[in-house]
Amino acid sequence: MLDPVPRPASGLAIRCSRALFSPWSRLSLLVMVLASAAVMVVLYEPQRLLSAGWPPQLSGGAAAVVLFGVGYGVCTAAFVPRPLLNLAAGALFGSQAGLVSAIAGTVLGAGIAFTLGRVLGQDALRPLLRGRWLKAADGQLSRHGFRSMLAIRLFPGVPFAAANYCAAVSRMGYVPFLLATGLGSIPNTAAYVVAGSRAGSPTSPAFLIAMGFIVVTGLAAAVVAWRKRHHMRDR
């Protein structure tokens, strides 16, 4: 008796598989994930932590600091403004523990966004980098990733989420990105955390210095962005 001849793989199945894992399908998934995260933020308003406070049963100990850091990372990946979370970290845990938790959360949130952008968006978006500004930004991040990202984090003129996804689309590596994010975020994050921890005494030197630092760095970022824009326009 003759053995049955095996059927060739279905061409339709192969085409469906290719379409499912194509760059544009992954980009569509990324858009849906980010849109869902934004909707969750609007519905649940995690920034109410500033006014409502941390749950009493989770208000003390290292476990609370770690839990807050994890929540911080997830919230930043979902577009919750970092300044609000930094203020909350200082108000809940004080300057030292609050800073540790906030920096850990910053790196975690940046890593989540970078991974999503790299896995789901890079292949589809890189062919679209045709504009002069886009090419310049991509070249800077790809060739000088660490120092470029360090400068972006030190001068908070570029939105946190935008910097994460721009770096993900570039050829920048994970380690330089995360290291630059952690180091570069310390000064500005510390200022907000100290301001949050001293919010009850707004005339204290620590609070005034922290607020002054926030204002000065914000103005410096605006000036640098303005000069960079005119420099690129002249070129």
Side-chain angles (χ1 to χ4, degrees):
M1 191 172 180
L2 297 176
D3 295 331
V5 178
R7 294 183 179 181
S10 172
L12 179 61
I14 295 176
R15 289 196 298 270
C16 290
S17 176
R18 289 177 179 174
L20 182 63
F21 294 102
S22 68
W24 286 104
S25 295
R26 284 180 282 153
L27 181 62
S28 300
L29 177 60
L30 175 61
V31 171
M32 288 190 294
V33 169
L34 297 181
S36 300
V39 170
M40 294 291 287
V41 169
V42 172
L43 292 178
Y44 291 98
E45 299 181 358
Q47 60 269 29
R48 288 184 300 178
L49 186 66
L50 276 173
S51 58
W54 194 245
Q57 62 271 27
L58 301 174
S59 58
V65 176
V66 172
L67 182 60
F68 183 87
V70 173
Y72 184 117
V74 174
C75 287
T76 54
F79 309 114
V80 175
R82 287 183 59 248
L84 294 176
L85 297 171
N86 292 334
L87 292 171
L92 292 171
F93 304 112
S95 300
Q96 296 181 358
L99 178 60
V100 171
S101 184
I103 291 297
T106 296
V107 175
L108 175 61
I112 293 173
F114 188 88
T115 301
L116 288 174
R118 178 60 56 89
V119 173
L120 300 179
Q122 187 188 48
D123 291 342
L125 294 177
R126 280 203 65 82
L128 303 179
L129 299 177
R130 298 189 180 95
R132 184 178 61 180
W133 289 10
L134 292 176
K135 285 185 177 180
D138 174 64
Q140 187 71 18
L141 288 171
S142 298
R143 292 191 299 269
H144 311 290
F146 176 79
R147 72 183 189 188
S148 298
M149 186 55 57
L150 185 65
I152 289 172
R153 301 306 193 193
L154 287 172
F155 295 98
V158 179
F160 185 73
N164 294 337
Y165 289 106
C166 286
V169 173
S170 74
R171 293 188 175 91
M172 186 177 183
Y174 270 91
V175 174
F177 172 76
L178 295 177
L179 186 59
T181 295
L183 294 176
S185 300
I186 290 175
N188 194 260
T189 301
Y192 277 99
V193 170
V194 171
S197 66
R198 300 291 191 273
S201 54
T203 59
S204 64
F207 181 85
L208 295 176
I209 292 173
M211 292 304 299
F213 181 85
I214 292 170
V215 172
V216 169
T217 54
L219 292 175
V223 171
V224 170
W226 180 81
R227 293 186 62 181
K228 190 70 173 178
R229 179 180 179 184
H230 280 266
H231 176 70
M232 295 183 68
R233 180 179 295 177
D234 293 340
R235 290 179 59 186

